[in-house]
Amino acid sequence: MENLKRIFIVDDHQMVIDGLRLIINTIPGFEIVGDCNSAHQALDILTETAVDILLTDVSMPEMSGIELTRVVHKKFPHIKIIALSMFGEAQVVAEMIDAGISGYILKNTGKQELIEALNKVAEGQNYFAPEITLQLMKSFKRGQESESSRLTDREIEIIRMIEQDFGNKQIADLLFISERTVETHRKNILRKTNTQTVVGLLKYAYERKII
Amino acid sequence: MTFTSIALICQADEFFDIRNPSILLLVGFLILISAIFIVSYQAHNLKRLKYTTGLQAQIIKQQSQNAKGIITADERERQRIAGDLHDGVGQLLSATRMNLDTLFERLKLTDPENSELADKAMAMVDESCREVRTIAHQMMPDVLLKAGLAFALRDFVNKISSDRLKVSLEVSGLENRLQNNVELVLYRVIQETVNNVLKHANASSLDIQLMRDEGEVSITIEDNGRGFSTAEKEQFEGIGLKNIVTRVTYLKGTVDISSSPGKGTLVAILIPIL
Ligand SMILES: Nc1ncnc2c1ncn2[C@@H]1O[C@H](COP(=O)(O)OP(=O)(O)O)[C@@H](O)[C@H]1O
Ligand SMILES: [Mg+2]
């Protein structure tokens, strides 16, 4: 029995800790050696208590789970950290990964998932809840897609007007928008086509058969 | 199960035996029911917010606006509700889910009907968690406060983009964060404009561009949907468009709305910044 993995839980909501205790107590191979309701407290306790896995909430008042993870990862590099949160936005997950987590699960978790997460992380692997992985993949995919900028219908219409040598005022009147908005369109068009002048822009447009 | 049948069971001593599934099931359902109550209470709270928004429109109509006051009060209220949802209902539901999980395991349900019921209850709690998450997020996205406008928009776009509606988001010059209130206001304005596209446009593509350069931020939101006649004045009566104008005016910016039936809609916003 001496190889029990020691778990410590931090969450500002005691009822979540109680719920986790109920479940984890029935999972073989793990024992909960303590819990507390704030990140500051956790840092104090961790200096005195030997812990293998830290389960931490992400949003907590005063010191967040992100900051706690950074500090623990640096001061106690042997402790594996699993984030436990209501939310799983890609950006927050990414920040937690940067901070040093080995896993991320959502709070409406159950025994099966906890078993998998704890075992994987105890073995030195990572575990991310399926919903989290999906979010991450989506943001990754979109990030790649947006690499090639497409011109909008209006922008193409404006390029046609530029081709006919219309000035901003004329374009504004034709499209019922202000001249400043035409100016915004122009800037967006030049940025997307990576051109600097009207000549360059028209060349770009002809080459790609945009107009 | 009716009250009489509960009363009848209660008369039997073995009902109080902890191994009796009935009492544990009952406890489970009590937890579930209280969770449902809390969720509907929050729904009520949300209705109140909608009402507040309605009131707001009235105030704007009467031209007696102190836009800044209204907007900050509104944002504060949203933040409070998002906080309540996250810290109240959200955590309760999560804990409920964990307790049910343990409870059903202890019960060792053998009757397939019972375990089906148990699974259903868990799935319902899961669904409630997801709902709460979505609502809290719409109220006040965590990522907006923590990571800023560009990330929050990326996140928002990821959520609404689908096979039917291709959404592209281009952000340039926003490596540094804008002032907090500017970010909040711009997020709301873009959220409202995009919601209009989802609600009214029936578009297949939506292009959002956000550019910061020398002293201004420009935003264009363009769809290729059905469009509407901006000339017909009553079309502009909606609260949404009015709110957009109020919020942008608060930042001393301008809004250009250009649309005609069949030709899609463009909302262009310019905000001066230091
Ligand atoms: N992107 C759009 N495409 C088509 N119609 C739109 C679009 N945006 C706004 N509208 C029209 O303008 C009206 C007013 O919008 P709004 O003020 O946001 O009110 P609401 O969305 O509550 O109807 C809408 O009812 C709709 O007819
Ligand atoms: Mg609207």
Side-chain angles (χ1 to χ4, degrees), chain B residues 126-147:
Chain B
D126 270 344
E127 186 57 32
S128 312
C129 285
R130 265 192 291 274
E131 288 279 297
V132 169
R133 214 179 288 146
T134 313
I135 298 171
H137 188 85
Q138 280 166 357
M139 285 277 141
M140 183 60 69
D142 231 21
V143 46
L144 177 57
L145 302 176
K146 288 200 185 112

Side-chain angles (χ1 to χ4, degrees), chain A residues 86 89 107 111 155 178, chain B residues 91 101 133 137 209 256:
Chain A
M86 272 282 296
E89 293 154 350
K107 276 193 184 169
K111 184 172 180 179
E155 284 164 352
S178 70
Chain B
Q91 311 295 329
D101 202 55
R133 214 179 288 146
H137 188 85
Q209 301 183 65
D256 223 345

Side-chain angles (χ1 to χ4, degrees), chain B residues 192 196-197 199-201 223 226-228 235 238-241 265:
Chain B
E192 176 61 39
N196 273 347
V197 176
K199 210 157 92 186
H200 308 295
D223 70 61
R226 71 161 65 97
F228 64 105
Q235 295 277 37
I239 293 165
L241 292 177
T265 301

Side-chain angles (χ1 to χ4, degrees), chain A residues 74-94:
Chain A
K74 210 171 153 205
K75 274 176 92 174
F76 315 98
H78 62 278
I79 299 182
K80 302 271 197 302
I81 307 164
I82 301 177
L84 183 76
S85 175
M86 272 282 296
F87 298 109
E89 293 154 350
Q91 175 56 27
V92 177
V93 179

Side-chain angles (χ1 to χ4, degrees), chain B residues 4-232:
Chain B
T4 25
S5 62
I6 294 173
L8 279 176
I9 297 170
C10 280
Q11 284 174 350
D13 276 352
E14 70 263 27
F15 180 70
F16 294 100
D17 188 333
I18 194 71
R19 280 161 305 189
N20 181 335
S22 312
I23 192 170
L24 289 176
L25 266 179
L26 206 66
V27 171
F29 283 115
L30 285 181
I31 297 172
L32 188 66
I33 283 164
S34 48
I36 290 166
F37 265 120
I38 293 159
V39 169
S40 48
Y41 163 74
Q42 287 299 141
H44 173 81
N45 225 339
L46 290 183
K47 262 191 215 132
R48 221 185 70 204
L49 182 83
K50 274 204 190 117
Y51 175 63
T52 324
T53 324
L55 253 184
Q56 221 181 78
Q58 288 294 317
I59 296 166
I60 295 164
K61 228 178 217 159
Q62 289 162 11
Q63 296 291 309
S64 65
Q65 89 258 52
N66 174 351
K68 187 176 170 163
I70 296 166
I71 289 165
T72 34
D74 187 41
E75 292 299 340
R76 221 181 297 127
E77 178 80 342
R78 281 167 192 263
Q79 205 159 351
R80 187 187 65 75
I81 295 177
D84 281 0
L85 281 172
H86 176 270
D87 287 324
V89 196
Q91 311 295 329
L92 267 169
L93 281 173
S94 305
T96 304
R97 170 75 164 76
M98 293 176 198
N99 287 342
L100 280 181
D101 202 55
T102 310
L103 175 64
F104 289 141
E105 194 186 88
R106 284 193 194 166
L107 284 176
K108 303 213 185 341
L109 300 172
T110 43
D111 183 343
E113 242 176 71
N114 284 346
S115 42
E116 196 182 310
L117 215 53
D119 288 346
K120 226 174 174 175
M122 300 255 269
M124 281 155 90
V125 180
D126 270 344
E127 186 57 32
S128 312
C129 285
R130 265 192 291 274
E131 288 279 297
V132 169
R133 214 179 288 146
T134 313
I135 298 171
H137 188 85
Q138 280 166 357
M139 285 277 141
M140 183 60 69
D142 231 21
V143 46
L144 177 57
L145 302 176
K146 288 200 185 112
L149 186 61
F151 285 109
L153 286 178
R154 175 74 52 210
D155 203 70
F156 179 48
V157 165
N158 282 343
K159 290 214 168 78
I160 57 165
S161 197
S162 67
D163 288 338
R164 269 189 44 228
L165 178 69
K166 289 263 166 289
V167 187
S168 113
L169 170 69
E170 303 237 0
V171 180
S172 80
L174 259 191
E175 291 72 22
N176 295 320
R177 290 192 61 170
L178 301 169
Q179 242 177 41
N180 200 259
N181 64 330
V182 176
E183 287 199 337
L184 273 173
V185 169
L186 291 184
Y187 186 82
R188 294 296 174 212
V189 168
I190 295 169
Q191 197 178 28
E192 176 61 39
T193 310
V194 172
N195 281 341
N196 273 347
V197 176
L198 299 177
K199 210 157 92 186
H200 308 295
N202 193 24
S204 63
S205 83
L206 167 62
D207 287 89
I208 306 168
Q209 301 183 65
L210 186 78
M211 176 173 50
R212 176 192 183 157
D213 69 357
E214 306 141 28
E216 63 180 23
V217 175
S218 69
I219 298 161
T220 58
I221 298 159
E222 192 181 330
D223 70 61
N224 67 348
R226 71 161 65 97
F228 64 105
S229 166
T230 49
E232 283 164 39

